[in-house]
Amino acid sequence: GLTLLDVKTGKSGVFAETALQLAAYGNAETLVVGDEERPMPGPIDTYAALWLTPDSWVFYPMDVGEAEFRAFLYAGGIHRWVKRRAGDKATDPVKGEELSLPGRVLQLVKGGVR
């Protein structure tokens, strides 16, 4: 079958987030080879990471499925939200203006409402 391999060369090894990257690659419609765009081959049967260091290597099969792809999409959404809010202060409202208190305020207390 077809294996999608992510080669890592960092000092710290392979992180769990590699599964999210592999899920993104595996769900791509096209890939770019040189200057040419081609359809993504598939289906992918195995996902793996190869950690290369100057004097060794380690091969890691990775569990990648629908849950990892959803997590990748969620992470992308959070990233876009953070970038939109980058210039905001922590105290700025996310949506709308500050609400004024109504004339009568109920106070929640242990055992009921006052």
Side-chain angles (χ1 to χ4, degrees):
L2 185 61
T3 298
L4 181 58
L5 180 68
D6 192 353
V7 179
K8 300 295 188 185
T9 58
K11 294 179 182 180
S12 301
V14 175
F15 294 94
E17 293 85 4
T18 300
L20 304 184
Q21 291 176 299
L22 286 165
Y25 299 148
N27 281 276
E29 294 177 2
T30 60
L31 67 105
V32 177
V33 179
D35 292 334
E36 185 181 342
E37 189 170 325
R38 300 179 187 174
M40 187 70 172
I44 296 167
D45 300 303
T46 306
Y47 293 86
L50 178 63
W51 181 32
L52 298 177
T53 66
D55 29 309
S56 69
W57 59 271
V58 182
F59 181 84
Y60 296 98
M62 303 290 290
D63 289 327
V64 176
E66 190 62 32
E68 286 73 23
F69 186 56
R70 278 195 315 271
F72 167 77
L73 294 175
Y74 295 148
I78 291 168
H79 173 75
R80 286 187 295 280
W81 183 86
V82 168
K83 284 192 74 84
R84 279 196 314 271
R85 303 282 306 185
D88 297 346
K89 296 177 185 170
T91 55
D92 287 346
V94 173
K95 182 177 181 183
E97 297 297 321
E98 181 179 329
L99 299 174
S100 59
L101 292 175
R104 181 170 177 242
V105 178
L106 298 177
Q107 182 181 5
L108 298 177
V109 294
K110 192 172 186 176
V113 176
R114 200 180 342 179

